[in-house]
Amino acid sequence: HPPVESQWDVPQWDDLSFLITCDDSTFRRAVGPLANATFLSYVSTRGSYYNPRYDNATVPGWARSFELYQDPVNGGMRALLFLKTDTATGNPSQAIVAFRGTDLGDSEPSHLADSCADQ
């Protein structure tokens, strides 16, 4: 499913332990951007899930950073960086690093690179 198009009011956090006891609404606001970032890590990087429609997509309310972006042709680590800016200072106040998991199969270069993780 594509990322949700609504704006997320993400709570500030020092760690994610609050997810254990928070109410449903807070859980959804916190996990929504994480889920969308993970989705984009699969569909906007090379591999069997790649879809060029998402090449420049971002998580609503977050800026996708391309400064550190790498998408190796022959497979390798793929991760996306998303930043949330503090409106008072203009500086990033939160970040999401979304690592793409393994790409299963045997027809793409990423399949061979990821096959060791699946054994």
Side-chain angles (χ1 to χ4, degrees):
H1 300 288
V4 177
E5 297 298 326
S6 65
Q7 195 67 257
W8 291 93
D9 179 24
V10 180
Q12 292 282 344
W13 61 70
D14 292 327
D15 63 53
L16 297 176
S17 63
F18 74 93
L19 293 174
I20 297 168
T21 58
C22 69
D23 60 56
D24 288 349
S25 176
T26 301
F27 181 86
R28 286 188 194 101
R29 286 195 329 267
V31 173
L34 301 176
N36 286 336
T38 302
F39 169 81
L40 289 172
S41 76
Y42 280 87
V43 299
S44 67
T45 60
R46 286 184 178 88
S48 56
Y49 307 105
Y50 174 69
N51 183 335
R53 170 183 174 192
Y54 298 104
D55 281 351
N56 296 307
T58 191
V59 174
W62 295 74
R64 182 169 165 182
S65 174
F66 289 93
E67 280 185 49
L68 305 174
Y69 180 77
Q70 290 190 26
D71 189 10
V73 174
N74 293 319
M77 177 59 68
R78 291 178 172 85
L80 302 180
L81 174 63
F82 302 90
L83 302 171
K84 186 139 185 105
T85 302
D86 182 317
T87 55
T89 67
N91 295 321
S93 60
Q94 291 179 301
I96 297 172
V97 179
F99 293 93
R100 193 197 78 189
T102 58
D103 191 7
L104 304 177
D106 58 13
S107 62
E108 298 279 335
S110 60
H111 294 153
L112 179 59
D114 290 348
S115 66
C116 63
D118 299 321
Q119 295 184 21

